[in-house]
Amino acid sequence: MTSTLSAHDAWRAAREQTLREPHGWLSLTALHWLGTSDSTADGAPVDTVPGLPGTWRAAGPDEVAVTAVAADGVVLPGATGPLDGTAHVRPVDGAPGVMVAVGERVVEIARRTDSWALRVRDPQALTRTAFTGVPAWPYDPAAVVDAVFTPYDAPRTVTVDAVVAGLQHFPTAVGEVAFTWAGAPQRLVALAGKDGGLSLHFRDATSGDTTYGGGRILRTDDPAPDGTLELDLNRVVNLPCAFTAHATCPLPPAGNTLEVAVEAGEKSPLRPDLA
């Protein structure tokens, strides 16, 4: 048990260290959507973003044009110096955006469905500088449960809404996971993990009370060849939208709402920006 607790404590420490990274999710200070309200003489839409130098323009269905002078200090990924002119970037829908440095800040240019977003990451954000850790239930060995994964005949793309009204995400569902919790059988749609394994995004009876209303997520290892796997519900975590108003997180897939309470893993985090 001692070694299990030590492993869990090490995992929690690594989780919170990741959150504390200078340009991690706690550093978000703004989310701007590129619009078409202003135009240049030739009619092309231009966006001047409050607090950012240069212009950031949706330059068509597949790219964003960034225009700056060297004195603005806008540096694109892989560049050896600041931008002096116009550069075009092409983020992929649903994937992490293109990270553009502006001084100590980073502007993430992201594509979400048919829209372009600029997300400003600032190491001096209050949500980061005032961060003292994520509230969580104490480790409970009973929250480590056996489960069985049943794959679909073929992976399928599902459509889910987002915390931002009008936005949608399109994750890949690969099967369903069955397990027992609170004395009753439970079943969740399993999404493909980003680096292997499964991703279980769900709501339960704690959602909107002691945990974030948009649900939490559990990432698992790959199931065994016979479909068996272990769910450590002590490692259920919040999505970025629980920590900041500037994330565009997906909501859980249809049906991924448990009627029982999962009092394990992370609780709703403190929000110094809302105090």
Side-chain angles (χ1 to χ4, degrees), residues 134-154:
V134 187
W137 277 277
Y139 179 84
D140 182 1
V144 182
V145 299
D146 293 327
V148 176
F149 170 68
T150 302
Y152 294 141
D153 291 338

mmCIF file of all heavy atoms in Angstrom, residues 134-154:
data_model
loop_
_atom_site.group_PDB
_atom_site.id
_atom_site.type_symbol
_atom_site.label_atom_id
_atom_site.label_comp_id
_atom_site.label_asym_id
_atom_site.label_seq_id
_atom_site.Cartn_x
_atom_site.Cartn_y
_atom_site.Cartn_z
ATOM 1 N N VAL A 134 -4.661 21.282 -7.080
ATOM 2 C CA VAL A 134 -6.025 20.903 -7.446
ATOM 3 C C VAL A 134 -6.640 20.112 -6.295
ATOM 4 O O VAL A 134 -6.091 19.087 -5.889
ATOM 5 C CB VAL A 134 -6.048 20.046 -8.726
ATOM 6 C CG1 VAL A 134 -7.486 19.815 -9.173
ATOM 7 C CG2 VAL A 134 -5.254 20.705 -9.841
ATOM 8 N N PRO A 135 -7.791 20.543 -5.766
ATOM 9 C CA PRO A 135 -8.458 19.737 -4.737
ATOM 10 C C PRO A 135 -8.803 18.357 -5.282
ATOM 11 O O PRO A 135 -9.203 18.217 -6.436
ATOM 12 C CB PRO A 135 -9.725 20.542 -4.418
ATOM 13 C CG PRO A 135 -9.445 21.935 -4.906
ATOM 14 C CD PRO A 135 -8.530 21.789 -6.084
ATOM 15 N N ALA A 136 -8.641 17.341 -4.462
ATOM 16 C CA ALA A 136 -8.939 15.968 -4.889
ATOM 17 C C ALA A 136 -9.321 15.131 -3.678
ATOM 18 O O ALA A 136 -8.948 15.439 -2.539
ATOM 19 C CB ALA A 136 -7.728 15.349 -5.582
ATOM 20 N N TRP A 137 -10.070 14.065 -3.946
ATOM 21 C CA TRP A 137 -10.369 13.119 -2.886
ATOM 22 C C TRP A 137 -9.096 12.352 -2.516
ATOM 23 O O TRP A 137 -8.229 12.132 -3.380
ATOM 24 C CB TRP A 137 -11.435 12.135 -3.350
ATOM 25 C CG TRP A 137 -12.827 12.644 -3.206
ATOM 26 C CD1 TRP A 137 -13.604 12.633 -2.086
ATOM 27 C CD2 TRP A 137 -13.635 13.240 -4.243
ATOM 28 N NE1 TRP A 137 -14.847 13.195 -2.355
ATOM 29 C CE2 TRP A 137 -14.893 13.568 -3.667
ATOM 30 C CE3 TRP A 137 -13.423 13.530 -5.588
ATOM 31 C CZ2 TRP A 137 -15.922 14.154 -4.383
ATOM 32 C CZ3 TRP A 137 -14.441 14.124 -6.316
ATOM 33 C CH2 TRP A 137 -15.680 14.439 -5.711
ATOM 34 N N PRO A 138 -8.980 11.922 -1.256
ATOM 35 C CA PRO A 138 -7.826 11.094 -0.880
ATOM 36 C C PRO A 138 -7.794 9.806 -1.695
ATOM 37 O O PRO A 138 -8.838 9.303 -2.121
ATOM 38 C CB PRO A 138 -8.072 10.799 0.612
ATOM 39 C CG PRO A 138 -9.021 11.854 1.079
ATOM 40 C CD PRO A 138 -9.869 12.191 -0.117
ATOM 41 N N TYR A 139 -6.601 9.278 -1.882
ATOM 42 C CA TYR A 139 -6.468 8.024 -2.618
ATOM 43 C C TYR A 139 -7.305 6.936 -1.955
ATOM 44 O O TYR A 139 -7.278 6.748 -0.734
ATOM 45 C CB TYR A 139 -5.006 7.581 -2.679
ATOM 46 C CG TYR A 139 -4.828 6.269 -3.411
ATOM 47 C CD1 TYR A 139 -4.733 6.243 -4.791
ATOM 48 C CD2 TYR A 139 -4.795 5.059 -2.709
ATOM 49 C CE1 TYR A 139 -4.601 5.039 -5.475
ATOM 50 C CE2 TYR A 139 -4.660 3.853 -3.389
ATOM 51 C CZ TYR A 139 -4.564 3.857 -4.768
ATOM 52 O OH TYR A 139 -4.443 2.672 -5.442
ATOM 53 N N ASP A 140 -8.057 6.210 -2.775
ATOM 54 C CA ASP A 140 -8.931 5.148 -2.282
ATOM 55 C C ASP A 140 -8.660 3.886 -3.097
ATOM 56 O O ASP A 140 -8.926 3.854 -4.307
ATOM 57 C CB ASP A 140 -10.394 5.561 -2.422
ATOM 58 C CG ASP A 140 -11.358 4.516 -1.893
ATOM 59 O OD1 ASP A 140 -10.898 3.461 -1.400
ATOM 60 O OD2 ASP A 140 -12.579 4.750 -1.972
ATOM 61 N N PRO A 141 -8.126 2.835 -2.472
ATOM 62 C CA PRO A 141 -7.853 1.608 -3.240
ATOM 63 C C PRO A 141 -9.108 1.005 -3.855
ATOM 64 O O PRO A 141 -9.038 0.308 -4.874
ATOM 65 C CB PRO A 141 -7.218 0.668 -2.208
ATOM 66 C CG PRO A 141 -7.558 1.246 -0.877
ATOM 67 C CD PRO A 141 -7.694 2.720 -1.074
ATOM 68 N N ALA A 142 -10.276 1.292 -3.256
ATOM 69 C CA ALA A 142 -11.529 0.759 -3.809
ATOM 70 C C ALA A 142 -11.920 1.443 -5.108
ATOM 71 O O ALA A 142 -12.830 0.983 -5.811
ATOM 72 C CB ALA A 142 -12.657 0.904 -2.781
ATOM 73 N N ALA A 143 -11.240 2.563 -5.434
ATOM 74 C CA ALA A 143 -11.524 3.271 -6.684
ATOM 75 C C ALA A 143 -10.716 2.723 -7.853
ATOM 76 O O ALA A 143 -10.772 3.263 -8.960
ATOM 77 C CB ALA A 143 -11.253 4.765 -6.525
ATOM 78 N N VAL A 144 -9.969 1.667 -7.610
ATOM 79 C CA VAL A 144 -9.272 0.949 -8.685
ATOM 80 C C VAL A 144 -10.119 -0.271 -9.019
ATOM 81 O O VAL A 144 -10.253 -1.186 -8.201
ATOM 82 C CB VAL A 144 -7.854 0.530 -8.261
ATOM 83 C CG1 VAL A 144 -7.146 -0.168 -9.423
ATOM 84 C CG2 VAL A 144 -7.050 1.739 -7.791
ATOM 85 N N VAL A 145 -10.731 -0.254 -10.202
ATOM 86 C CA VAL A 145 -11.722 -1.283 -10.531
ATOM 87 C C VAL A 145 -11.357 -1.991 -11.834
ATOM 88 O O VAL A 145 -10.703 -1.412 -12.717
ATOM 89 C CB VAL A 145 -13.140 -0.685 -10.637
ATOM 90 C CG1 VAL A 145 -13.552 -0.054 -9.312
ATOM 91 C CG2 VAL A 145 -13.224 0.357 -11.761
ATOM 92 N N ASP A 146 -11.801 -3.218 -11.951
ATOM 93 C CA ASP A 146 -11.614 -3.987 -13.183
ATOM 94 C C ASP A 146 -12.696 -3.603 -14.192
ATOM 95 O O ASP A 146 -13.832 -3.289 -13.821
ATOM 96 C CB ASP A 146 -11.695 -5.480 -12.893
ATOM 97 C CG ASP A 146 -10.540 -5.964 -12.037
ATOM 98 O OD1 ASP A 146 -9.432 -5.404 -12.170
ATOM 99 O OD2 ASP A 146 -10.746 -6.892 -11.226
ATOM 100 N N ALA A 147 -12.338 -3.627 -15.450
ATOM 101 C CA ALA A 147 -13.274 -3.259 -16.510
ATOM 102 C C ALA A 147 -13.029 -4.142 -17.724
ATOM 103 O O ALA A 147 -12.013 -4.844 -17.823
ATOM 104 C CB ALA A 147 -13.103 -1.791 -16.887
ATOM 105 N N VAL A 148 -13.981 -4.091 -18.650
ATOM 106 C CA VAL A 148 -13.861 -4.833 -19.909
ATOM 107 C C VAL A 148 -14.171 -3.889 -21.058
ATOM 108 O O VAL A 148 -15.197 -3.184 -21.048
ATOM 109 C CB VAL A 148 -14.822 -6.035 -19.946
ATOM 110 C CG1 VAL A 148 -14.753 -6.720 -21.307
ATOM 111 C CG2 VAL A 148 -14.486 -7.030 -18.844
ATOM 112 N N PHE A 149 -13.277 -3.866 -22.022
ATOM 113 C CA PHE A 149 -13.442 -3.029 -23.220
ATOM 114 C C PHE A 149 -13.976 -3.886 -24.357
ATOM 115 O O PHE A 149 -13.433 -4.942 -24.675
ATOM 116 C CB PHE A 149 -12.099 -2.416 -23.612
ATOM 117 C CG PHE A 149 -12.096 -1.734 -24.950
ATOM 118 C CD1 PHE A 149 -12.821 -0.573 -25.167
ATOM 119 C CD2 PHE A 149 -11.360 -2.260 -26.014
ATOM 120 C CE1 PHE A 149 -12.822 0.053 -26.406
ATOM 121 C CE2 PHE A 149 -11.343 -1.645 -27.249
ATOM 122 C CZ PHE A 149 -12.077 -0.482 -27.438
ATOM 123 N N THR A 150 -15.058 -3.403 -24.974
ATOM 124 C CA THR A 150 -15.612 -4.058 -26.166
ATOM 125 C C THR A 150 -15.440 -3.117 -27.344
ATOM 126 O O THR A 150 -16.080 -2.054 -27.396
ATOM 127 C CB THR A 150 -17.101 -4.384 -25.973
ATOM 128 O OG1 THR A 150 -17.264 -5.226 -24.820
ATOM 129 C CG2 THR A 150 -17.662 -5.078 -27.205
ATOM 130 N N PRO A 151 -14.565 -3.452 -28.289
ATOM 131 C CA PRO A 151 -14.329 -2.535 -29.412
ATOM 132 C C PRO A 151 -15.493 -2.538 -30.395
ATOM 133 O O PRO A 151 -16.212 -3.545 -30.535
ATOM 134 C CB PRO A 151 -13.064 -3.093 -30.059
ATOM 135 C CG PRO A 151 -13.101 -4.552 -29.731
ATOM 136 C CD PRO A 151 -13.735 -4.666 -28.367
ATOM 137 N N TYR A 152 -15.679 -1.427 -31.072
ATOM 138 C CA TYR A 152 -16.606 -1.388 -32.198
ATOM 139 C C TYR A 152 -15.995 -2.155 -33.369
ATOM 140 O O TYR A 152 -14.783 -2.383 -33.416
ATOM 141 C CB TYR A 152 -16.868 0.061 -32.614
ATOM 142 C CG TYR A 152 -17.591 0.895 -31.584
ATOM 143 C CD1 TYR A 152 -17.234 2.224 -31.378
ATOM 144 C CD2 TYR A 152 -18.633 0.373 -30.824
ATOM 145 C CE1 TYR A 152 -17.898 3.017 -30.448
ATOM 146 C CE2 TYR A 152 -19.301 1.150 -29.886
ATOM 147 C CZ TYR A 152 -18.931 2.469 -29.701
ATOM 148 O OH TYR A 152 -19.587 3.243 -28.771
ATOM 149 N N ASP A 153 -16.814 -2.519 -34.307
ATOM 150 C CA ASP A 153 -16.306 -3.195 -35.504
ATOM 151 C C ASP A 153 -15.282 -2.319 -36.219
ATOM 152 O O ASP A 153 -14.315 -2.823 -36.801
ATOM 153 C CB ASP A 153 -17.455 -3.530 -36.456
ATOM 154 C CG ASP A 153 -18.371 -4.621 -35.892
ATOM 155 O OD1 ASP A 153 -17.908 -5.379 -35.025
ATOM 156 O OD2 ASP A 153 -19.538 -4.689 -36.320
ATOM 157 N N ALA A 154 -15.511 -1.017 -36.151
ATOM 158 C CA ALA A 154 -14.572 -0.046 -36.720
ATOM 159 C C ALA A 154 -14.709 1.251 -35.933
ATOM 160 O O ALA A 154 -15.802 1.577 -35.462
ATOM 161 C CB ALA A 154 -14.865 0.204 -38.200
#
